[in-house]
Amino acid sequence: MSAFKRVQQWATFARTWHVFDCKWQDPYDSAQVIKKYLMGLHKPIYHPTNDCGDVVVCINSRDIALRGDEWRKRAYFHHTGYPGGASWTLAWELHNKDPTMIIRKAIYRSMKGNLQRRHTMERLFIFPGEDVPQDIMQNVTNQIRQLRLVPTRLDHIPEEEVQKYPKVMDYPQDYVLK
Amino acid sequence: MSVSKINMAALVRSSFGLFKNSILNTAIRSLSTSKPLNIKEIREHKEGTKLVVEAVSLPSPRKDLLVRADNIDLPSSNCEHESSVKEPCYMCALGLDVKHTDVLILSQFVRSDGCMLPRRITGLCRRQQKKIGKMVSMAQKAGLMINLTPAWCKKDPKKRKDYKKFNTYFDEKTIFWKRIPDQNDKWKR
Ligand SMILES: [Zn+2]
């Protein structure tokens, strides 16, 4: 085997580390993307018995965004196994308790429930904020593109830019500004 | 006796209403003495011994920045526009795809306390007024226009209560839906 072929073999089967910024991202939509990187579905060499999945580091999981009224409508079910042990936790209550749990459960549920799933989940790191340990961050070589644009708050735009922005609405002649 | 009493009360009430109108009516309040309140401005100057107070209506501060469909060349300019068809309002004519995150556009339709302006002031058609109004409330719920809120409002969205402190985004497609389907309904039989 030539030296080039040997390096190509290493590069093909090496694990790549990806980072994903969850700020203002829908966890259920981004789970469909993250899952592909975790399982290695984005690689041409993918096969279910081929261990080619990558590592994904999710940051800012505290700032995920849910659509509409899902924070108070979506419930997470848990049963202790004992009679009367059922409990339903709303999404915002769960996010208060553990800000990484919603994105973790979304990715876990997006994958097929086979024996491989638990091992694939071991390759997922989730951090509620931006501070990631150095030994994890030094491996990261790729960033997964965000699905939704992070919206800009009006008070973060400079005042003169707001004033200079083209106007669509004009006040009527005798309007009293409030 | 009682009848005349009622008449008296009605008279008093109606005259009070007239008095209240004379103070609070927009046409008269536009002669307000505080300067930043209005497009009309109060100017005082002396001519000899007389003090002249006059109200000058000023041009709107938005006049130079105003964008209208007939001033710009839209790619799909409807030249075969029939006269029988009602003229579209300025937002329909512009044909912008406004999202609830476009706070620079939405903040133009809003008072300084973040309240949507009524249709007689915005001059929109009913559909656009409904659409813009809903998107303003979406932006407010998402905490994107917190500098345009009442004074008693907690300005930081993260300091809100319960589910309101977390980030929320909205789907503009749901604006004209009669009923937004519940996610839990798909499990029902
Ligand atoms: Zn219209």
Side-chain angles (χ1 to χ4, degrees):
Chain A
M1 190 183 259
S2 69
F4 173 76
K5 277 286 178 192
R6 194 163 67 240
V7 173
Q8 192 184 35
Q9 175 81 359
W10 293 342
T12 308
F13 287 97
R15 289 202 200 284
T16 316
W17 290 54
H18 308 267
V19 70
F20 182 75
D21 190 355
C22 299
K23 191 170 264 188
W24 282 96
Q25 303 303 304
D26 187 293
Y28 312 105
D29 294 345
S30 32
Q32 298 299 324
V33 176
I34 293 169
K35 157 188 122 167
K36 289 183 185 169
Y37 287 90
L38 274 181
M39 296 167 73
L41 283 164
H42 63 302
K43 296 182 179 179
I45 58 166
Y46 173 78
H47 189 267
T49 59
N50 182 3
D51 183 20
C52 62
D54 284 346
V55 183
V56 177
V57 181
C58 291
I59 57 168
N60 286 327
S61 76
R62 194 179 277 118
D63 299 324
I64 55 167
L66 295 201
R67 189 180 64 189
D69 53 1
E70 278 196 37
W71 278 118
R72 62 201 153 107
K73 286 291 174 68
R74 193 179 278 265
Y76 285 87
F77 177 76
H78 177 71
H79 201 292
T80 59
Y82 291 100
S87 69
W88 287 266
T89 312
L90 297 178
W92 66 268
E93 291 172 333
L94 184 69
H95 204 59
N96 264 343
K97 286 188 178 120
D98 185 357
T100 64
M101 197 61 114
I102 286 183
I103 182 92
R104 174 169 289 124
K105 278 184 171 286
I107 294 167
Y108 186 78
R109 282 195 56 180
S110 71
M111 289 188 286
K112 207 175 150 198
N114 50 18
L115 288 176
Q116 186 59 39
R117 176 161 68 164
R118 301 274 174 155
H119 302 287
T120 310
M121 286 300 287
E122 289 295 302
R123 266 182 262 122
L124 174 70
F125 296 93
I126 305 172
F127 296 97
E130 264 172 358
D131 39 328
V132 183
Q134 188 55 38
D135 57 332
I136 289 177
M137 209 57 197
Q138 67 188 1
N139 299 320
V140 170
T141 51
N142 184 34
Q143 183 179 8
I144 302 174
R145 186 180 284 271
Q146 286 182 312
L147 295 171
R148 303 178 54 79
L149 281 176
V150 176
T152 317
R153 261 160 58 173
L154 187 62
D155 54 327
H156 290 171
I157 305 171
E159 183 67 30
E160 57 190 295
E161 204 173 309
V162 177
Q163 298 289 339
K164 272 194 303 188
Y165 193 78
K167 297 287 183 279
V168 174
M169 207 275 281
D170 198 10
Y171 299 115
Q173 198 54 245
D174 58 342
Y175 178 67
V176 184
L177 277 180
K178 264 183 248 176
Chain B
M1 184 60 193
S2 63
V3 174
S4 69
K5 221 177 201 173
I6 289 163
N7 279 341
M8 196 59 198
L11 195 73
V12 166
R13 207 179 300 131
S14 66
S15 64
F16 179 70
L18 272 176
F19 179 66
K20 195 169 72 176
N21 272 347
S22 70
I23 293 173
L24 297 176
N25 200 8
T26 323
I28 291 161
R29 268 205 63 205
S30 62
L31 296 173
S32 154
T33 47
S34 58
K35 203 170 137 193
L37 256 179
N38 43 24
I39 300 181
K40 280 188 177 170
E41 194 185 49
I42 307 290
R43 286 184 187 159
E44 292 181 22
H45 56 97
K46 276 193 175 173
E47 284 180 7
T49 53
K50 278 187 289 184
L51 175 71
V52 181
V53 181
E54 60 177 351
V56 189
S57 65
L58 297 176
S60 167
R62 294 182 177 179
K63 200 183 169 192
D64 302 327
L65 295 162
L66 208 61
V67 175
R68 284 285 177 268
D70 38 336
N71 296 337
I72 50 172
D73 291 330
L74 289 173
S76 61
S77 56
N78 34 6
C79 301
E80 61 272 59
H81 193 70
E82 288 150 39
S83 58
S84 63
V85 181
K86 209 178 152 194
E87 183 91 350
C89 71
Y90 57 91
M91 277 307 272
C92 292
L94 279 169
L96 294 171
D97 182 22
V98 184
K99 302 259 185 254
H100 75 281
T101 47
D102 300 333
V103 282
L104 283 169
I105 292 176
L106 293 179
S107 61
Q108 299 169 19
F109 294 93
V110 153
R111 285 206 305 254
S112 62
D113 64 344
C115 190
M116 178 76 187
L117 292 167
R119 199 156 76 91
R120 69 187 142 83
I121 289 166
T122 57
L124 293 164
C125 64
R126 276 174 205 284
R127 193 179 168 82
Q128 286 287 347
Q129 174 76 14
K130 176 114 181 164
K131 195 176 169 187
I132 301 278
K134 286 247 181 161
M135 282 196 290
V136 163
S137 65
M138 283 172 175
Q140 293 283 18
K141 282 176 186 172
L144 301 177
M145 295 204 295
I146 48 161
N147 50 345
L148 296 174
T149 40
W152 39 265
C153 177
K154 285 187 190 119
K155 297 291 180 186
D156 190 4
K158 299 240 160 117
K159 284 182 185 157
R160 292 178 186 170
K161 261 180 83 177
D162 300 347
Y163 59 88
K164 293 175 198 160
K165 70 181 163 210
F166 299 127
N167 293 342
T168 310
Y169 76 93
F170 293 91
D171 191 356
E172 283 83 12
K173 273 186 286 180
T174 58
I175 288 176
F176 291 111
W177 287 3
K178 286 276 184 295
R179 180 181 149 274
I180 297 168
D182 191 350
Q183 284 296 313
N184 301 322
D185 283 357
K186 63 184 172 194
W187 310 111
K188 278 185 188 162
R189 297 187 181 217

